[in-house]
Amino acid sequence: MKKLSCMLALVLALATLTGGMAFATTLTVYNSYDYIDEDVLEQFTKETGIEVEYVMFTRQEEMYTQITTGGGKYDIIFPSDYILERLIKEERLQEIDYEQCPNAKENILDSMWNSDYDPGNVYSVPYMWGTMGILYNTEMVEDEITSWDSLFDSTYQRDVFMLDSMRDMMGLMLVYLGYDINSTDEAELAEVRDLLIKQKDDNIVQGYLVDEVKDKMVGGEAAMAVMWSGDAMYAMDLDEDGVLAYSVPEEGSNVWIDAMCVLSNSENYEAAMQFIDFMCRPDIAKRNYDYIHYASPIKQVVETLPEEEAENVAVNPGDEVLERCYFFHDLMDDMDIYNTYWMQIRS
Amino acid sequence: MKRSYFSAPYAVWMVVFTIFPIVFVGLYAITTRRADGNDLYTGLANIGNIFGNEGTYMKVLWRSLSLALQCTAICLLLGYPCAYFLASKDFAKHKTLYVLILLPMWMNFLLRTYASMGLLERNGVINSIVTALGFKRLELIGTQGAVLYGMVYNYLPFMILPIHTVLKKMDQRVIEAAQDLGANPVRVFYKVTLPLSIPGIISGITMVFMPSVTTFAISGLLGSGNFMLIGDVIETQFMSANNWNFGSALSLFMTVLILISIGLLNRMDKSKTGNGGGKW
């Protein structure tokens, strides 16, 4: 009994101690796995006295479910395009006050301000961005890859990896055929389906995968793979012989932006603004870029890229590439037709 | 003394993790999510869709069934002799071998499947050997054969173990009696050992067939996503198509199919062996 009361006293003492320390604001930040240099968070706390509770998710959909079902209280989240669009539609985000974020206002590339789902970036501040394209092995293809055409060249036998991602794969092929990347037109999608089925029948495809492809490309398992620029960069970093290259085909492609947003139920708006501003500071953005190796939207980071990386479209697509790339929109209710055709392609 | 309350923890477990989920799957299967976020009762429409979409799902279902049957047959052909060998009393090292059969199961199946991927790839272990010997590179990964290999590799122990148990428990005097009465070894096997081991074969078949018919992941990793099985279709419905209703309908349909096949097997079991011996 005595022991118990001792314990109780200790617990109480601890509780008052930690309670007394809670004068600092705690900001809860919700981001993808491996998507920040975590030392940066420490520096933020050191500079501002604001504690950061850093929580991570694997999939966008998981994050969406968490915040919509009230699974936790978050201040800042890092959504990508179509989830962001849905969050704006559902009025779950607070507007960004750029007066409080001078770094965001001044340092973000001009081309990043006009995503068509959040014009003028009222609700979202770009964090990282990228494109989709073809990662190819320069020793296994004849010429430089510049067109989606190469994916349908039957001189390549079982030499192409496609992406097991319905929306991405069908969207890219819509662009290739000259249609809108967000098309829900049945005839256009049927054309995409026939194209992909023929590619399979011609024995060009080695497989439909997602995560495994990067390592397979490093291991020289295939000549080409459809990939996100971030994954392509990962593969190129691992590739010691320097035989891998990434290209955004001339017909056009998809561009995506992962952004920082403040949730409408956040009670730490000022601190959130401070955090977003901090993340847009050139030195911090540079550290995150060095860690993640995705394309950064911060001018100073892009301007100071080492020559080799500046020439690499995977991390520095440039405005000219961006002009032929399109954003995905939230098609939530029109996905059935995609699903139907995708199943036909894959079966 | 009344001891039925001993089963209370399991009853709770079963309600939470078996009954509830099945009810939810059933509810999802007979409804459709509307654009406004409300669920609408649509009866058997989702089930009906399984037969639609230009026969896509039937094709996948047929592929799953056929692969599962092939896998079960190969497991039986490989597993029975192995179990027989293990159970024979003049084989002294059977304990070691028994552990060796179990050993791979101590490692997660996904890890083992990833390792198989490394074996079968173009620049993988097997092809390195083949090309070093001067032969042409083999196309192994991404073929239906690779998927079948992966399934057999993963499920073979489930065939060996129940057959082994039944053979081990078999009354040796019955066999001796048959021998005394002049039956040659082949006749002893067909007339005595095989019929007596049918309960083990049946549970082996059940335990291999059930997981193989609902396999996923193996088909993705070793088949490189070229051979979608019904498990993959269900996964896609839940994870990327966001169509839980159709996914549930498919799951329900599979559950019924499996129930029917188990029912058929059990009936076979009873008619062949009366009240058969110990199962695994």
Side-chain angles (χ1 to χ4, degrees):
Chain A
M1 198 57 207
K2 202 174 172 194
K3 226 181 192 171
L4 193 75
S5 47
C6 261
M7 287 272 281
L8 213 69
L10 200 72
V11 168
L12 271 175
L14 268 173
T16 40
L17 206 69
T18 46
M21 276 165 64
F23 59 88
T25 321
T26 302
L27 207 56
T28 309
V29 178
Y30 199 24
N31 193 3
S32 307
Y33 271 95
D34 249 346
Y35 211 33
I36 198 167
D37 179 354
E38 289 197 36
D39 294 344
V40 159
L41 299 174
E42 249 169 64
Q43 191 177 335
F44 177 71
T45 307
K46 219 182 278 168
E47 286 183 18
T48 60
I50 300 168
E51 299 281 334
V52 176
E53 193 186 339
Y54 191 67
V55 193
M56 288 169 279
F57 57 83
T58 23
R59 304 166 70 100
Q60 289 281 320
E61 286 75 11
E62 178 191 329
M63 180 261 290
Y64 178 77
T65 318
Q66 276 286 322
I67 57 177
T68 49
T69 56
K73 214 160 177 321
Y74 307 101
D75 296 302
I76 294 178
I77 53 166
F78 287 64
S80 12
D81 33 35
Y82 77 100
I83 292 275
L84 174 57
E85 188 182 5
R86 200 181 298 171
L87 291 169
I88 294 174
K89 245 189 256 168
E90 295 173 355
E91 300 179 351
R92 293 185 194 275
L93 303 175
Q94 296 189 44
E95 290 188 15
I96 306 285
D97 177 10
Y98 284 98
E99 291 311 309
Q100 295 185 50
C101 304
N103 276 308
K105 201 170 151 189
E106 279 153 31
N107 301 343
I108 288 176
L109 291 170
D110 299 337
S111 55
M112 287 288 120
W113 286 94
N114 272 315
S115 66
D116 41 12
Y117 49 81
D118 184 16
N121 294 19
V122 179
Y123 299 97
S124 64
V125 178
Y127 173 59
M128 290 283 162
W129 66 289
T131 53
M132 294 192 76
I134 302 175
L135 179 73
Y136 62 100
N137 188 320
T138 47
E139 284 180 354
M140 293 166 84
V141 299
E142 290 286 316
D143 304 304
E144 206 179 315
I145 302 289
T146 54
S147 160
W148 294 113
D149 275 333
S150 308
L151 296 181
F152 304 94
D153 179 349
S154 56
T155 50
Y156 299 106
Q157 287 287 295
R158 291 175 59 82
D159 237 358
V160 172
F161 275 115
M162 301 296 272
L163 201 62
D164 181 11
S165 178
M166 161 160 77
R167 186 70 204 278
D168 295 304
M169 208 58 252
M170 293 182 78
L172 292 177
M173 292 305 105
L174 280 169
V175 175
Y176 169 53
L177 294 173
Y179 302 126
D180 178 6
I181 198 168
N182 294 299
S183 170
T184 52
D185 182 278
E186 229 168 283
E188 293 173 5
L189 286 164
E191 218 176 303
V192 166
R193 171 198 63 188
D194 296 341
L195 182 73
L196 292 177
I197 290 178
K198 179 162 188 304
Q199 181 202 27
K200 232 177 135 177
D201 290 343
D202 289 347
N203 207 24
I204 300 167
V205 180
Q206 191 184 127
Y208 271 85
L209 294 169
V210 186
D211 295 331
E212 294 78 18
V213 181
K214 323 187 260 278
D215 292 318
K216 287 192 187 246
M217 288 306 289
V218 176
E221 289 289 316
M224 285 175 264
V226 178
M227 215 179 259
W228 287 284
S229 55
D231 282 356
M233 198 56 214
Y234 170 92
M236 286 187 274
D237 280 341
L238 279 182
D239 162 40
E240 286 163 4
D241 312 325
V243 293
L244 294 180
Y246 176 78
S247 140
V248 178
E250 60 199 11
E251 296 92 346
S253 183
N254 161 245
V255 54
W256 44 267
I257 299 177
D258 288 338
M260 298 178 275
C261 302
V262 185
L263 284 169
S264 52
N265 62 356
S266 163
E267 287 156 7
N268 302 313
Y269 185 77
E270 315 270 293
M273 287 302 117
Q274 265 178 286
F275 182 82
I276 289 176
D277 191 53
F278 178 78
M279 296 294 274
C280 294
R281 229 168 68 185
D283 58 321
I284 301 302
K286 172 85 179 132
R287 274 164 68 180
N288 282 327
Y289 165 77
D290 286 339
Y291 186 84
I292 315 167
H293 254 175
Y294 275 38
S296 171
I298 303 295
K299 280 178 201 158
Q300 290 87 336
V301 175
V302 179
E303 282 158 8
T304 56
L305 283 176
E307 197 179 333
E308 194 189 323
E309 287 176 22
E311 284 167 9
N312 189 338
V313 272
V315 282
N316 186 26
D319 293 347
E320 177 259 327
V321 168
L322 199 59
E323 259 164 43
R324 57 172 194 263
C325 289
Y326 313 94
F327 289 103
F328 278 129
H329 282 250
D330 186 13
L331 295 182
M332 209 175 180
D333 310 328
D334 291 312
M335 284 304 282
D336 281 355
I337 182 73
Y338 275 76
N339 188 17
T340 304
Y341 285 161
W342 183 247
M343 285 294 124
Q344 290 179 16
I345 296 166
R346 298 294 317 285
S347 69
Chain B
M1 219 159 87
K2 205 166 168 238
R3 292 247 169 94
S4 60
Y5 55 84
F6 278 14
S7 64
Y10 180 68
V12 172
W13 177 275
M14 207 169 69
V15 168
V16 175
F17 294 109
T18 310
I19 310 287
F20 271 175
I22 289 180
V23 169
F24 277 122
V25 168
L27 282 177
Y28 271 118
I30 55 167
T31 53
T32 300
R33 174 136 294 191
R34 299 309 326 157
D36 56 17
N38 292 320
D39 295 309
L40 188 80
Y41 172 74
T42 44
L44 294 178
N46 287 325
I47 301 278
N49 285 342
I50 297 174
F51 302 93
N53 199 3
E54 302 186 8
T56 299
Y57 307 114
M58 282 296 122
K59 192 165 97 187
V60 175
L61 194 66
W62 176 244
R63 180 189 295 142
S64 305
L65 283 175
S66 124
L67 264 176
L69 283 173
Q70 289 176 51
C71 169
T72 314
I74 295 174
C75 281
L76 185 61
L77 286 176
L78 288 174
Y80 197 95
C82 174
Y84 187 80
F85 185 55
L86 266 178
S88 63
K89 58 176 179 215
D90 30 278
F91 182 58
K93 294 270 185 287
H94 74 271
K95 282 225 170 91
T96 321
L97 210 77
Y98 193 79
V99 171
L100 283 178
I101 289 169
L102 283 175
L103 201 64
M105 295 169 73
W106 298 350
M107 214 175 284
N108 182 285
F109 96 97
L110 265 180
L111 276 180
R112 281 182 280 135
T113 308
Y114 266 103
S116 297
M117 203 163 91
L119 280 181
L120 301 175
E121 278 180 337
R122 282 188 169 180
N123 304 320
V125 177
I126 293 176
N127 270 324
S128 310
I129 296 170
V130 167
T131 45
L133 291 174
F135 295 104
K136 215 174 144 256
R137 189 177 67 188
L138 301 168
E139 287 293 345
L140 300 168
I141 194 88
T143 61
Q144 197 152 330
V147 180
L148 190 58
Y149 152 77
M151 286 161 73
V152 170
Y153 173 61
N154 270 299
Y155 304 133
L156 186 57
F158 296 112
M159 182 65 85
I160 298 177
L161 299 176
I163 297 177
H164 170 259
T165 311
V166 169
L167 289 175
K168 199 80 191 164
K169 279 185 185 160
M170 197 181 289
D171 190 346
Q172 291 302 311
R173 289 171 303 181
V174 185
I175 293 169
E176 282 159 18
Q179 286 164 343
D180 288 346
L181 291 168
N184 63 26
V186 177
R187 206 172 155 81
V188 171
F189 178 75
Y190 282 108
K191 287 281 175 191
V192 183
T193 316
L194 191 60
L196 281 177
S197 59
I198 279 183
I201 295 177
I202 301 270
S203 44
I205 289 177
T206 320
M207 295 188 61
V208 170
F209 183 75
M210 274 198 302
S212 25
V213 86
T214 52
T215 296
F216 77 105
I218 294 180
S219 40
L221 292 175
L222 299 183
S224 299
N226 291 328
F227 304 95
M228 249 198 172
L229 300 182
I230 202 75
D232 300 304
V233 174
I234 294 174
E235 199 226 358
T236 311
Q237 295 310 311
F238 279 91
M239 303 308 284
S240 52
N242 208 4
N243 191 344
W244 290 30
N245 305 93
F246 186 55
S248 298
L250 275 170
S251 306
L252 210 62
F253 187 73
M254 281 311 291
T255 314
V256 172
L257 267 191
I258 292 175
L259 269 178
I260 292 173
S261 41
I262 293 178
L264 285 177
L265 269 173
N266 278 341
R267 177 171 268 185
M268 212 160 88
D269 189 11
K270 285 210 183 79
S271 63
K272 279 265 171 62
T273 59
N275 199 7
K279 283 188 192 174
W280 188 48

